[in-house]
Amino acid sequence: MEKLQSIEQFEQLKKEERVVFMFSADWCPDCRVIEPILPGIEADYPEYQFVHVDRDEFIDLCGDLDVFGIPSFIAYHNGEEAGRFVSKDRKTKEEIEAFLNGLSA
């Protein structure tokens, strides 16, 4: 999964056709739990570009986007927010897939 490097990159990437930002942190146990399933999810949804956002590196961005729990996902389609799966709860593979399946194409 590509790692976000800058706010400028975020602004550019969200204008892409289909991109999903995953907000995470190294210290987050729930993030570590889903880490092994993410490559499979990426492979199953090739129409999306997945980008990892380190919450600690981009704390201001998280605040701007109201991301106060991790792991969380926000999807964009051509610059518009297409959906979000944002909560403090642990996510399952099935919940992440349901979120992706529910995004408007």
Side-chain angles (χ1 to χ4, degrees):
M1 184 177 297
E2 181 179 355
K3 192 172 185 325
L4 186 68
Q5 302 297 323
S6 68
I7 294 295
E8 294 77 20
Q9 183 189 23
F10 172 80
E11 292 299 331
Q12 187 60 43
L13 285 170
K14 76 178 192 179
K15 295 176 187 169
E16 298 289 324
E17 188 172 353
R18 288 186 180 92
V19 62
V20 176
F21 293 96
M22 185 194 89
F23 296 83
S24 180
D26 290 341
W27 51 263
C28 166
D30 291 342
C31 302
R32 300 289 72 78
V33 167
I34 65 167
E35 213 168 56
I37 65 170
L38 293 174
I41 289 174
E42 281 186 90
D44 290 343
Y45 294 86
E47 65 273 26
Y48 292 100
Q49 178 181 1
F50 290 86
V51 181
H52 175 272
V53 181
D54 186 303
R55 176 209 167 270
D56 295 337
E57 284 182 44
F58 295 98
I59 191 76
D60 291 340
L61 176 63
C62 290
D64 293 345
L65 296 172
D66 295 324
V67 174
F68 298 110
I70 52 175
S72 287
F73 300 83
I74 300 181
Y76 286 88
H77 181 66
N78 296 326
E80 297 293 320
E81 185 175 316
R84 57 174 48 216
F85 185 17
V86 175
S87 71
K88 63 180 176 33
D89 300 323
R90 178 175 285 179
K91 278 52 168 191
T92 65
K93 180 175 192 258
E94 294 73 24
E95 288 172 331
I96 296 167
E97 289 172 339
F99 161 69
L100 293 170
N101 290 334
L103 293 173
S104 54

